[in-house]
């Protein structure tokens, strides 16, 4: 707990995709979030976040953009990146809202980014923000795992 920075927060990414908003969409149309536009339509992840989207909690979920930077691609299988674990798990990034419910981006068991209704069961992989004063040793492999240590 002493190495966790709780003053940073996490990006909830609640911004709408270009041309989509709650007030401008007819009730029969999908309402798309920015992550859907970046990752499904444009395949262009982004780590920027507006202040209004920051959630101040000590633990969050990974964003779909972070998964994309690690090697996850919407609709493409990939079992060769470090976030792949052969299981489905949710990200924090909303995808769209339709007449059938809210859809969230998740990492599927085959390693691709996808989206599905939040009423379905998926795992979660919590994330934390480390304090800038810590050092991390190791290469992140099973034989040489990362070790978080206090400031040198």
């Amino acid at each position: 707990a002493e190495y966790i920075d709780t003053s940073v927060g996490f990006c909830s990414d609640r911004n709408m995709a270009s041309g989509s908003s709650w007030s401008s969409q007819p009730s029969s149309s999908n309402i798309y979030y920015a992550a859907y536009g970046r990752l499904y339509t444009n395949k262009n992840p982004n780590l920027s976040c507006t202040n209004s989207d920051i959630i101040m909690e000590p633990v969050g979920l990974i964003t779909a953009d972070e998964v994309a930077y690690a090697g996850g691609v919407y609709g493409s299988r990939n079992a060769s990146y470090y976030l792949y674990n052969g299981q489905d798990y949710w990200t924090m990034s909303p995808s769209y809202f339709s007449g059938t419910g809210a859809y969230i981006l998740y990492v599927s068991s085959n390693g691709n980014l996808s989206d599905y209704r939040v009423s379905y069961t998926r795992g979660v992989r919590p994330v934390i923000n480390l304090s800038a004063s810590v050092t991390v040793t190791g290469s992140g492999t099973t034989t040489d795992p990362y070790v978080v240590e206090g400031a040198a």
Side-chain angles (χ1 to χ4, degrees):
E2 65 192 270
Y3 303 139
I4 298 174
D5 186 346
T6 59
S7 68
V8 179
F10 297 93
C11 188
S12 68
D13 203 14
R14 294 173 291 193
N15 292 316
M16 297 295 187
S18 179
S20 198
S21 73
W22 287 103
S23 60
S24 66
Q25 298 296 103
S27 60
S28 61
S29 294
N30 292 343
I31 300 168
Y32 294 96
Y33 287 89
Y36 181 91
R38 287 191 308 271
L39 302 172
Y40 175 78
T41 306
N42 301 322
K43 307 275 195 264
N44 187 20
N46 186 329
L47 295 180
S48 66
C49 186
T50 63
N51 285 341
S52 63
D53 274 346
I54 295 175
I55 297 173
M56 299 304 296
E57 298 293 338
V59 180
L61 295 179
I62 196 165
T63 67
D65 292 272
E66 292 167 328
V67 171
Y69 274 114
V73 177
Y74 193 98
S76 290
R77 294 172 181 241
N78 183 2
S80 300
Y81 66 112
Y82 76 97
L83 293 174
Y84 171 78
N85 68 355
Q87 298 178 9
D88 294 338
Y89 59 93
W90 295 114
T91 72
M92 189 179 279
S93 304
S95 184
Y96 65 93
F97 185 84
S98 75
T100 60
Y103 287 70
I104 302 291
L105 289 155
Y106 76 100
V107 177
S108 74
S109 60
N110 64 19
N112 72 316
L113 272 170
S114 192
D115 48 25
Y116 218 76
R117 288 192 311 271
V118 295
S119 58
Y120 282 75
T121 303
R122 302 281 186 263
V124 294
R125 294 184 72 188
V127 296
I128 58 171
N129 292 310
L130 295 175
S131 170
S133 64
V134 302
T135 58
V136 178
T137 60
S139 61
T141 65
T142 54
T143 57
D144 185 28
Y146 292 124
V147 177
V148 178
E149 301 170 342

